[in-house]
Amino acid sequence: MTAPRDLAAEFRAGNVRGLARAITLVEQRDPSVRHLLESLGDLVRPPRVLGLTGAPGTGKSTLVDNMVELLRSRDQAVGVIAVDPNSPYTGGAILGDRIRMQRHALDSRVYIRSMGARGHLGGLSVATREAIRLMGAFGFEWVLLETVGVGQSELEVAAIADTTLVVLNPGLGDGVQMIKAGIMEIADVFVVNKADLPGAQKTVQEVRSMLSMGPRLAWRPPIVSAVAVKGEGTEEVIEAVERHRQFQASSGEAIQRAEARLKDEAADLVGEWARAEARRLLDTEPGLAARLIRDRIPYSAAEEILTRQGRRLVPEAARTDP
Amino acid sequence: MRVRYHRDAAGEAPESWDSEYEATPMRDDGIETATLSGMDVKMLYTSRDVEARPEELSGQYPYTRGIHKTGYRGRLWTMRQFSGFATAAETNRRYKYLLASGQTGLSVAFDMPTLMGQDSDAPTSRGEIGHCGVAIDSLADMETLFEGIPLAEVSTSMTINSPAAVLFCMYLAVAEKQGVPFTNVNGTLQNDILKEFIAQKEYIFPPEPSMRLVVDSIEYCTAEVPRYNPVSISGYHIREAGSTAAQELAFTLADGFAYVDACIERGMAVDDFAPRLSFFFDAHIDFFEEIAKFRAARRIWARHMRERYGARDERSWKLRFHTQTAGVSLTAQQPQLNIARTALEALAAVLGGTQSLHTNAMDEVLALPTDKAAQVALRTQQMIAYETGVANTVDPLGGSYFMENLTDRMEEEAEAYFERIDSLGGVIPAIEAAFMQREIADAAFRHQQEVEQKRRLVVGVNEFMSDQDDELEILRIPLGLEQEQVQRLHEVRRSRDEARANRALERIREAAANPNQNLMPLILDAVRASCTEGEIMGAMVDVFGLYTEKAII
Amino acid sequence: MTASSAPPPPTARGKAHPLRIVMAKVGLDGHDRGVKVVARALRDAGYEVVYTGLRQTPEMVVEAALQEDAQVIGLSLHSGAHMTLFPAVVEELRKRDATDIVVFGGGIIPDEDIAELKKLGVAELFTPGTPLKDIVEWLRGRFPETAAAPAP
């Protein structure tokens, strides 16, 4: 594994492999990534993060492909993170989202990274946030985060993205999709893709009526129609995203969200580090383990670890003391 | 697993038979007894396993036993060996050799750049020229390919799909130069774009414009080249991609119905074009399953054509098909064994009543066949035709309890698939949802696992291996071939009337944008003007765009 | 809003992380039965497979491997153009200063060509009939430190 210092050098040189390797470090939850990010401090400029979620087969990848095309035509550098689940049994995964973005394959200002949602503690979010930070540091102005809407992933996307887009299709068991826990709350923009299919108008209306039944919010999520395979609707989607950005900036929500996210991230990191180190301590300190086993319930052990072990809960590779 | 199954009408088991059966030890080698496609096979079939139905005769609706009364007694199947490699001149030589050896029809294999609508000087053609077929860039190449071969007397099948219209027009232009009227031109164009999206993946344009071109070609042939089969609706590639026999059957016929629907939508009367729709199936190694598949195919097509589409001409009801023995069953290990495999598969095709047959050469796993290997493949058909006697009676397995039972089950499975495809909105929506592709990928993976677990044996590969393997002479494409082909191409461009060529291409672009215009006459003009395949396809890509598949694994 | 998920099952723990393999069909041919079957087997063996699909050029394959930080590239080709395209991928890796990425191939490749391709830098070639477990075993042998589930 390349030392963080050398990695930083590759990174600063604009070598895409440096970025790729740094993201791997982050995926592997290597605590030394802290040093890399701190050494890149001056470069870190948060990109605008758009999260796209929705049921499989709704055309997210094609939409992302079109959005990349449009952003590129405006001379923006774009990163894409495409998340697919890993098998819970074997840990393996087939990551096939790049296929939909062939036309950007050799554009150096487009970076596409497939990530298996490996079920790390903290889920998708911790690794992805750091990956996004790295992409921003590398010079990407936008990051499109695409995940399949299974399990908790919509919530995880919404926790990371500046604007969350929920992609729907007409006639897909209509009402049912909306009801799925959390979708209505997290969407900043609704995209009805494959809008050339029958039932599209009905779907738009259903979303509208569900929104009106919900709490009155300052931001009313627009509902945009698109036919991604024909390249239609992309401008309207980006326009809706842009309006959201303006809303967030003028309402102060941008700052609020950013602060809340940073706090979440810090808390997640505490959880992640503490958990890993707690486990290590329990495995290596016979006294601690013995007391836990004698107690038969975990509370004293947990309290002991947190109060007495304190600093030791920061992984060695992440520490800054000499 | 022991199945208690022999029961008479009253539901009683004949005591002695069953008890003896129960007491007899069975083979215990862990090998699957179900067919290659997973259809259950009982140890014994009896009259109880067959539905009572009115007697079926050959040449009689629904044609389960064959579309012609006299079968091979009336006319043997066409021995049509698919070939082509390197340059048009080389392939011309091979064709003359095969015709002299007794082959009765020609079949053209094109190289990858030609199959993908690209000229030999395109950057993505590098390394691919002449390997899996003949390189054809323009009319000049097509003329060389058929030099000295009278198109009025020889029927030619061309295996090409997305650019089929272009190559077909080149063929017509050659016939024209030979003074053969289009009404005398005979043969088959594969031109089955739906199976490209499903299995072979040699698509170029998206599904809608691709279908439009196919319908244009059917419409054109119906009017101008009435003895030519404008489509060969194919199951071969679907099977080779890993599907089961029932999937091959179902997806192929579903594609066929989709073309019928599209032509009817264009305004054609079903009996005008349906008689010239032809089919192309695989003959795989599980012997009886294949024969049942062919019989079921005929029955299903006839019923749907008559009852669903209301076709009245009986030629519309009769499914005609070409068969190729399964490439995917051939092994690189102990390749001489492939001769035996091919013979058995060819026998299944003949017992299934195929109208035309290609037998693979033994070395085809590794490369294009040598002259010697190609000849052995042809001789295999000749032995079946003239030595074995199987051609002397129609549908010899008709009436077999097993065969009739299997045919019925094959039909049922196919109908179940039709329902699923319909529920997805039809063939094109099903393709876009990757339904067939997923079924195929799953079946392919299942098969691989069966082989790995030795529940299916492949002789020479997972059992009965041999230390010393046969030395195979591999046919190599000569070095320098690419440059020669490219030079020829550049010469064509240099010596043609450039203005005329450009005008022809422009007219194609205009017509492509108008869905009500048939593109065929314009493509023919462009071909006569020495436009290259790449240029003509490029003009259409400008209007239709390129397609990226939704890949599933 | 915090998000949490259940701890990962044992195979994904610890220092060992899945090997990343980019699989691609180079050239014009579209026969993807083999590459898809192999991709599934590699996933079942615990690897992360980035499938880049059909009609990949050597440049596209290598770019994908670099972006994805893959350790391995698997190429599939059935059209006879392997002697041009496989070495072109190796050459592109050299140009991009990434010769540590291991390349293996599969498809219709005669024995004589296998020896030649290995000389040109392709690590291994798997011809028709190779059991999937052989490919997995070869990868395990080559990359023992990466986690992989036991063979099915």
Side-chain angles (χ1 to χ4, degrees), chain C residues 112-128:
Chain C
E112 308 112 68
D113 292 353
I114 290 179
E116 186 59 31
L117 286 170
K118 282 184 165 176
K119 273 199 242 143
L120 291 169
V122 181
E124 190 56 86
L125 288 131
F126 299 103
T127 47

Side-chain angles (χ1 to χ4, degrees), chain A residues 58-116:
Chain A
T58 44
K60 292 185 298 297
S61 290
T62 313
L63 184 58
V64 167
D65 180 46
N66 293 343
M67 288 165 75
V68 171
E69 179 81 357
L70 184 54
L71 290 170
R72 288 297 296 123
S73 75
R74 297 179 187 177
D75 204 31
Q76 301 289 289
V78 187
V80 178
I81 299 179
V83 184
D84 272 312
N86 286 70
S87 158
Y89 305 105
T90 68
I94 294 182
L95 311 168
D97 295 302
R98 295 187 81 91
I99 295 178
R100 279 313 208 171
M101 298 177 241
Q102 303 281 3
R103 52 183 163 160
H104 309 293
L106 296 175
D107 182 345
S108 62
R109 299 191 77 213
V110 176
Y111 177 82
I112 300 167
R113 179 72 177 226
S114 310
M115 285 174 90

Side-chain angles (χ1 to χ4, degrees), chain B residues 128 201 203 442 452 476, chain C residues 28 32 40 55 79 132:
Chain B
E128 308 249 27
K201 316 285 175 90
Y203 48 75
D442 287 348
E452 305 244 335
R476 293 289 187 175
Chain C
L28 298 172
D32 56 5
R40 283 198 193 193
R55 307 186 199 174
S79 65
L132 297 171

Side-chain angles (χ1 to χ4, degrees), chain B residues 110-126 128-129 134-138 141 160 162-163 166-167 170 203-204 485 489 493 532-538 541 546, chain C residues 27-29 55:
Chain B
F110 298 97
D111 71 357
M112 274 317 303
T114 308
L115 292 171
M116 298 303 293
Q118 295 177 4
D119 288 334
S120 301
D121 63 348
T124 40
S125 298
R126 244 200 86 220
E128 308 249 27
I129 296 173
V134 65
I136 301 283
D137 288 320
S138 70
D141 287 328
I160 183 133
S162 205
V166 178
L167 278 293
M170 288 183 185
Y203 48 75
I204 299 170
Q485 182 66 20
L489 169 63
R493 289 210 187 106
T532 66
E533 185 206 15
E535 288 162 350
I536 299 172
M537 290 302 286
V541 170
L546 291 171
Chain C
L28 298 172
D29 120 78
R55 307 186 199 174

Side-chain angles (χ1 to χ4, degrees), chain A residues 24 93 95 98 111 114 264, chain C residues 1 9 20 48-49 67-69:
Chain A
T24 301
L95 311 168
R98 295 187 81 91
Y111 177 82
S114 310
D264 283 342
Chain C
M1 172 168 36
R20 284 201 132 204
E48 280 187 348
V49 177
Q67 289 187 9
E68 300 283 1
D69 195 22

